[in-house]
Amino acid sequence: MTEEIPVPDQFLTAPGIFPWWLLLVWGILTLLIGCMFLITPGMTTVLLITFMGAYWLVGGLFALGSLVVDRSHMGWKIFLAVINILAGILILLYPWFSTIFVLSFFVIFIGFWAIFIGVSHLYHGWIRKDAGNAVLGIISMIFGVLLLINPFIVAALLPYVAGGFAVVFGLASIYVSFVAKKCLESPAQ
C-alpha cells in the first residue's frame, strides 16, 4: 500500500528553479564536504572555522570601506567592523582554539535556547491544558540540559552530525537532479 506522491513537472522545469546540472553540482559538492567531515572531522572543521574568520575579517574591512561612500549609522558600522575584524584576526591567529571555542559556544547557545523554548512550551501546555505541548517542553528542556552538561563532547560530535546530514542531502540533491533532467527530456504530456 505504497502511494507515490505525484510531483507536477512544472515544479522541476519551471523558470526560476535551479537547472538540473546545478542541482547535480550542488549535490556532488555537498556529498564531498559530508565525506570530508566524516573522514577528517577535525581538519575540515578547522578549515571551515578558518574560512569563517577570513570572511569576518574581509567583511569588517569592507564595512569600514563602505564609510567612504555612506556615512549613515557611522557608529554602528564602525562597531560592527571592529568586532568582525578582531574576531577574524583571532580566528586566523588561533584556528584550533577558535574552532573549539566557536563550536562550544554554539552548543551552549543551543542548550540555553532549548531550555528557553522548553519552558515556553511547558508554560503554554500548563495554561492551555495541552499535554502535548507540555511533553514537548519537557523534552526540549531535557535536551538543553544534556547539551549544557558537557558542551565539549557535543562540540566534538558536531562535525560527524554535519557530515551525516551533508551526505544525505548531497545524495538527495544528486537524485533530484537526475529526476529533473528526466522530466526535461521526456515529452510534454
Side-chain angles (χ1 to χ4, degrees):
M1 179 151 187
T2 60
E3 293 183 29
E4 287 190 31
I5 300 173
V7 177
D9 291 344
Q10 64 264 29
F11 282 129
L12 296 173
T13 60
I17 302 295
F18 295 116
W20 72 268
W21 58 268
L22 191 59
L23 287 172
L24 179 64
V25 170
W26 181 266
I28 291 170
L29 290 175
T30 305
L31 182 63
L32 288 174
I33 290 170
C35 290
M36 287 172 52
F37 268 121
L38 294 174
I39 295 170
T40 58
M43 191 56 92
T44 304
T45 307
V46 169
L47 183 66
L48 182 70
I49 298 296
T50 303
F51 176 77
M52 185 178 72
Y55 177 79
W56 282 347
L57 176 64
V58 171
L61 293 173
F62 275 113
L64 281 180
S66 75
L67 289 173
V68 173
V69 178
D70 180 18
R71 293 186 180 260
S72 64
H73 308 292
M74 188 179 205
W76 277 111
K77 285 181 181 177
I78 292 173
F79 174 73
L80 292 175
V82 168
I83 295 296
N84 279 342
I85 291 169
L86 289 176
I89 289 172
L90 282 173
I91 287 173
L92 292 175
L93 288 177
Y94 305 103
W96 285 97
F97 177 73
S98 298
T99 300
I100 294 168
F101 176 77
V102 168
L103 289 180
S104 298
F105 179 78
F106 181 66
V107 168
I108 291 168
F109 177 78
I110 291 174
F112 280 117
W113 185 254
I115 291 172
F116 173 75
I117 294 297
V119 168
S120 175
H121 276 289
L122 196 58
Y123 173 76
H124 287 291
W126 178 267
I127 295 298
R128 296 182 181 146
K129 306 293 187 234
D130 180 11
N133 217 351
V135 168
L136 283 176
I138 292 169
I139 291 171
S140 182
M141 288 170 39
I142 291 170
F143 176 71
V145 169
L146 288 175
L147 289 180
L148 293 176
I149 286 175
N150 200 340
F152 296 115
I153 290 176
V154 177
L157 294 176
L158 223 53
Y160 294 104
V161 173
F165 276 115
V167 166
V168 169
F169 285 121
L171 291 172
S173 268
I174 292 169
Y175 172 75
V176 168
S177 73
F178 286 118
V179 169
K181 182 180 180 194
K182 184 178 176 185
C183 286
L184 287 172
E185 291 174 351
S186 67
Q189 297 176 3

